[in-house]
Amino acid sequence: MNILQQAARRLERLEALDKVAKPLAGAVGRAVRPRVMRNLLSGTDLGHPLHPMLTDLPIGAWVMSARWTPPAARPPRGPPTCW
């Protein structure tokens, strides 16, 4: 078992997280109980899941902003280079 698996197992066993997770799970369950909300979040009306769009769009924007930061905004590192 590697270090990440060990860390995940320790987190799973933390009972302090249960005190927060149980009320939160109940609130989320009540919020998505109406069929309209479930259909919206699952992407039923779109014909495909909504989750990838909600996660991939911000992640892609963040990665592209890091990639396309203008050279003037970066600290100088050695001789100038061309793109």
Side-chain angles (χ1 to χ4, degrees):
M1 184 178 320
N2 67 28
I3 194 165
L4 291 176
Q5 290 172 331
Q6 290 174 353
R9 297 226 190 256
R10 283 191 207 121
L11 281 173
E12 289 173 355
R13 291 187 206 120
L14 281 178
E15 291 183 15
L17 294 178
D18 292 339
K19 294 176 184 174
V20 176
K22 285 182 183 179
L24 186 61
V28 170
R30 284 188 301 278
V32 297
R33 189 170 296 141
R35 182 172 297 279
V36 173
M37 184 59 73
R38 269 193 321 226
N39 288 347
L40 175 69
L41 292 174
S42 68
T44 301
D45 297 333
L46 296 173
H48 56 83
L50 191 60
H51 178 264
M53 185 173 20
L54 292 176
T55 57
D56 294 353
L57 187 67
I59 291 170
W62 179 74
V63 169
M64 290 308 292
S65 70
R67 170 63 183 98
W68 295 109
T69 301
R74 295 182 186 162
R77 287 184 268 149
T81 59
C82 295
W83 288 66

